[in-house]
Amino acid sequence: MDIQSRLNGRSLTVSLIGELDHHAAASVREKMDSAIKQNDAANEVVVDMSRVSMMDSSGLGVIIGRYKLIAPQKKRMSIVGANRSVDRVLRMSGIYTLLNG
């Protein structure tokens, strides 16, 4: 899995590319944490999942963990571009309620 990040104003977009599964989870976690720390001025993290082909529960754990990392700092997170199968996993988990709540 590849990760690209870019800061636009106070919004950090993290683009995930590939399969977000148990094989990639640790690496994705480290890279997202690094991007978040390097762009500490950002008050929002947008996770672009438009190029994620598959996600399992380990991937879901990575996303929820990053949310828990930034939430105490009053930062927001949103997910964009999830395909049908990834969106289904996200909806079943209830994560959209957490991010929008």
Side-chain angles (χ1 to χ4, degrees):
M1 165 151 273
D2 191 26
I3 296 176
Q4 299 172 349
S5 61
R6 69 183 178 283
L7 186 63
N8 185 12
R10 296 202 45 171
S11 180
L12 172 65
T13 299
V14 179
S15 300
L16 306 179
I17 304 159
E19 295 183 355
L20 183 50
D21 58 11
H22 69 280
H23 296 292
S27 174
V28 172
R29 183 179 309 111
E30 290 173 14
K31 290 176 182 177
M32 283 185 74
D33 285 354
S34 177
I36 290 167
K37 288 176 186 168
Q38 288 177 356
N39 296 283
D40 190 51
N43 63 3
E44 175 185 34
V45 176
V46 177
V47 182
D48 179 358
M49 301 188 83
S50 61
R51 294 186 280 174
V52 174
S53 56
M54 178 275 234
M55 183 177 76
D56 67 8
S57 60
S58 298
L60 184 61
V62 169
I63 302 300
I64 291 171
R66 297 326 91 215
Y67 169 76
K68 288 182 177 181
L69 176 72
I70 67 169
Q73 301 168 19
K74 305 294 185 209
K75 296 181 180 190
R76 298 181 315 263
M77 177 180 278
S78 60
I79 297 172
V80 298
N83 69 32
R84 179 179 248 164
S85 64
V86 171
D87 184 61
R88 182 169 184 247
V89 172
L90 294 167
R91 287 189 186 284
M92 287 175 37
S93 75
I95 196 169
Y96 291 128
T97 304
L98 178 67
L99 298 182
N100 297 329

